[in-house]
Amino acid sequence: MGVQQKLSAFLFQLSMFLLVSASQEHKKAKGRHSSKKDHNIKKLAVLLATAGAIMSIKSFNNSFSNNHQRLGVALYCIIWAASSSWYFSTTKGSK
């Protein structure tokens, strides 16, 4: 495995770790608003996943002929859908 493949995989795994840890911190908040730190962690995770996606799209064979590539694209889409819902969600108490 090449350096770019390892770096792309590392960025994606790091982003998944950050997203999971941020969601666990949100669950611990028990109804309180997420802290600024949680939002910054989510932003960082989305940026890392995006960087990994860009690297994988630019550098690798993207025929999407195997399940691994399809799963990767699906996960990138899920990350972006979740991040857009976080971004466009209303604050508590607003209309």
Side-chain angles (χ1 to χ4, degrees):
M1 209 160 57
V3 174
Q4 287 183 335
Q5 288 176 326
K6 288 180 182 178
L7 183 59
S8 175
F10 175 74
L11 289 175
F12 189 70
Q13 289 175 353
L14 181 61
S15 70
M16 287 288 112
F17 171 76
L18 290 173
L19 285 173
V20 168
S21 65
S23 69
Q24 288 175 350
E25 289 296 321
H26 182 71
K27 287 179 184 177
K28 289 179 186 177
K30 294 185 181 175
R32 296 188 312 259
H33 288 289
S34 295
S35 67
K36 189 92 167 160
K37 179 183 170 186
D38 289 341
H39 289 289
N40 290 337
I41 289 173
K42 289 177 185 177
K43 288 178 189 177
L44 176 64
V46 170
L47 289 174
L48 289 174
T50 303
I54 290 170
M55 286 180 65
S56 66
I57 289 170
K58 287 175 89 174
S59 302
F60 310 134
N61 176 16
N62 291 314
S63 61
F64 302 110
S65 59
N66 64 35
N67 289 334
H68 187 90
Q69 291 173 332
R70 291 179 189 146
L71 181 63
V73 169
L75 286 173
Y76 290 135
C77 292
I78 290 168
I79 289 171
W80 271 98
S83 65
S84 63
S85 71
W86 295 327
Y87 183 74
F88 294 116
S89 67
T90 58
T91 57
K92 199 171 198 176
S94 67
K95 293 185 179 180

